[in-house]
Amino acid sequence: QGHLVESGGGLAQAGGSLRLSCAASGRTFSQWNMGWFRQGPGKEREFVAAISRSGESTYYADAVKGRFTISRDNAENTMYLQMNSLKPGDTAVYYCAAHRWGTFNYYYASTYDVWGQGTQVTVSS
C-alpha cells in the first residue's frame, strides 16, 4: 500500500523557479513523514528536504536552504517542493519518498520505504 508519483520537473534557467509535486495514493498520507531526494549525473542520491506528518517540522540540506521550500496538503494527499533561485548544480532526478514507521532519520534514504519514480530537473546556465 502506498504509491508516489512526482511531477513538475523540466528545464529552467539559472535563477528561475520550478515547483515539484508528489501525489500519494492511499488513505494514510497524513500518517507519513515525507522527503525529497535527488541524484545528479555521476553522483549518489542525496537528501534535499523533509517534512513531518503534520507539516509543522521541516528540514533542509544546506545546499538548498533559503532557496527551496517543502510543504504538504494532507487533504489533497500531495507534497510539494518549491524551488527558487535555481542553479546548474541543482540539475538532478528528484525523488519523493515516504517514511511510514519507525524512527524518522530524515537525512538517510534508508529511513524511507516508499519511493516515486523520479522527475528530471535540468537547470541551464
Side-chain angles (χ1 to χ4, degrees):
Q1 185 177 3
H3 183 61
L4 303 176
V5 178
E6 302 96 336
S7 61
L11 178 65
Q13 290 188 336
S17 298
L18 285 173
R19 189 194 197 199
L20 304 184
S21 298
C22 173
S25 63
R27 302 179 180 180
T28 56
F29 177 73
S30 63
Q31 298 176 25
W32 305 345
N33 296 304
M34 299 292 295
W36 287 99
F37 283 73
R38 67 186 182 186
Q39 187 165 12
K43 298 181 180 179
E44 295 187 353
R45 191 170 298 192
E46 64 177 2
F47 169 75
V48 175
I51 189 167
S52 63
R53 296 175 176 91
S54 65
E56 288 186 358
S57 298
T58 58
Y59 313 90
Y60 295 94
D62 288 344
V64 307
K65 200 172 295 183
R67 299 189 298 122
F68 291 9
T69 302
I70 189 171
S71 62
R72 66 189 297 164
D73 184 338
N74 285 344
E76 296 295 328
N77 281 12
T78 304
M79 176 180 66
Y80 303 97
L81 186 68
Q82 178 66 44
M83 305 187 296
N84 298 330
S85 302
L86 284 163
K87 304 175 180 180
D90 295 319
T91 295
V93 177
Y94 283 71
Y95 300 89
C96 66
H99 165 267
R100 299 186 293 180
W101 45 70
T103 302
F104 184 41
N105 294 314
Y106 59 84
Y107 186 85
Y108 297 98
S110 58
T111 207
Y112 300 85
D113 56 292
V114 182
W115 290 82
Q117 83 289 349
T119 186
Q120 176 70 47
V121 170
T122 302
V123 183
S124 62
S125 58

